[in-house]
Amino acid sequence: MSYPDPYRDDRIDIELRAPPRFQAPEGQSWVFGAALGAGGFGRAYLWNLVNNADQKVVDRVVIKYTEIRSEQVLHHGGPGHGEIREVFMQRHLHCSWSLDSWRFYSPYYAFGDLSDLIRAQDTMGDHRQIPEPFAWYLLYRLASAAVVMDEAFNTDDTKYEVVHCDFKPDNIFMGAPGTLGKKNSFPAYPPAYLGDFGNAHITYPRDPRTDLMYGMCTPGWSAPEITNVGYRRAPWQAPGGSHTNIWQIGFIVQSIL
């Protein structure tokens, strides 16, 4: 049974007034931009770095505050034991950076997320097809992220794998075209970045806790082995692992073709 949090409004009030901890350069200031969204694992805010003289925006950063609950703390005795799940993974998978244990900083992805792009392609209801080269580029970017998750925490003794569990268009953010440089493949398309590791799990061979992934994905995007089909995992459902990431990546790419 859950109870109302009597301090939540006070925390949000502080978050809205707390600028990034990075010192603004001389002649510039951090200015609050917008509340970008909130979910079960935290809240995200946009802060703009502006010139004091003309108020022009010269940089942007997103701060995400995490909800500190017991299920958000890594307890498996492996990488990140005792740390907040999303903050640890964002930092060590090089998605973001953090100066605290409960919040982290991310770039501002001005092109929104993959869901926004999909909706933009269907503004008139004519189901305009997303260009096939972009689909291949998306596959490459997501597969590259899967490789990082598969290798980031390996040790000489144990092969650890990060299972994102919640691969879906809403959690794939789109950067501005050209931001990766002219030599990058498909520079005309927005590069994709995987985010939101609040449901992610670090697993390993013969991990007895793989049932914790069961039912954790948004319905409609879940891989078969972690899809909720009853009160507990069915005998035919294999434990989640790096193959779960691959299934979800393939399903996302298929959905845009």
Side-chain angles (χ1 to χ4, degrees):
M1 181 176 181
S2 60
Y3 297 91
D5 182 353
Y7 303 107
R8 186 174 187 274
D9 290 342
D10 292 337
R11 289 203 308 275
I12 292 176
D13 181 63
I14 293 173
E15 292 168 3
L16 290 169
R17 294 183 288 107
R21 288 182 57 190
F22 303 104
Q23 183 68 37
E26 185 176 353
Q28 298 177 339
S29 301
W30 288 108
V31 177
F32 179 77
L36 298 179
F41 300 111
R43 296 161 296 279
Y45 306 97
L46 171 65
W47 283 82
N48 298 318
L49 183 64
V50 302
N51 288 325
N52 295 335
D54 55 16
Q55 293 299 295
K56 287 185 177 179
V57 176
V58 296
D59 202 358
R60 287 172 167 172
V61 68
V62 173
I63 305 178
K64 183 171 182 179
Y65 291 81
T66 57
E67 289 287 358
I68 304 176
R69 300 192 298 266
S70 59
E71 63 267 27
Q72 279 298 298
V73 178
L74 294 167
H75 293 299
H76 54 71
H81 180 78
E83 295 197 46
I84 297 175
R85 181 190 313 276
E86 184 163 19
V87 177
F88 174 78
M89 293 195 189
Q90 291 272 2
R91 182 172 67 245
H92 288 274
L93 295 175
H94 306 293
C95 304
S96 306
W97 61 99
S98 63
L99 299 176
D100 312 295
S101 61
W102 71 93
R103 65 178 176 177
F104 58 86
Y105 302 83
S106 297
Y108 174 60
Y109 299 112
F111 276 55
D113 57 44
L114 184 59
S115 289
D116 296 328
L117 188 148
I118 293 172
R119 284 191 292 269
Q121 290 295 103
D122 192 28
T123 53
M124 302 300 293
D126 56 1
H127 300 287
R128 289 177 293 170
Q129 188 175 26
I130 288 178
E132 184 177 335
F134 174 77
W136 288 110
Y137 183 41
L138 176 66
L139 174 61
Y140 171 75
R141 293 285 297 176
L142 296 182
S144 298
V147 170
V148 173
M149 291 190 292
D150 208 34
E151 299 177 349
F153 300 118
N154 283 345
T155 67
D156 293 337
D157 300 321
T158 307
K159 185 185 186 314
Y160 290 103
E161 301 169 350
V162 176
V163 185
H164 188 278
C165 290
D166 206 15
F167 261 107
K168 60 181 179 180
D170 288 351
N171 290 337
I172 299 171
F173 303 107
M174 313 307 296
T179 51
L180 296 181
K182 295 181 179 179
K183 294 184 179 180
N184 179 61
S185 301
F186 305 105
Y189 293 127
Y193 297 87
L194 180 63
D196 200 344
F197 286 80
N199 276 331
H201 285 263
I202 300 176
T203 186
Y204 52 89
R206 296 179 295 279
D207 181 1
R209 299 166 59 88
T210 55
D211 283 351
L212 294 176
M213 305 179 208
Y214 181 72
M216 295 302 293
C217 184
T218 301
W221 300 100
S222 181
E225 60 270 20
I226 61 172
T227 298
N228 189 346
V229 295
Y231 291 108
R232 59 178 61 88
R233 196 171 66 198
W236 58 266
Q237 290 179 292
S242 60
H243 52 274
T244 304
N245 296 328
I246 299 302
W247 191 97
Q248 292 185 290
I249 290 171
F251 188 63
I252 288 171
V253 174
Q254 180 193 41
S255 72
I256 68 172
L257 291 174

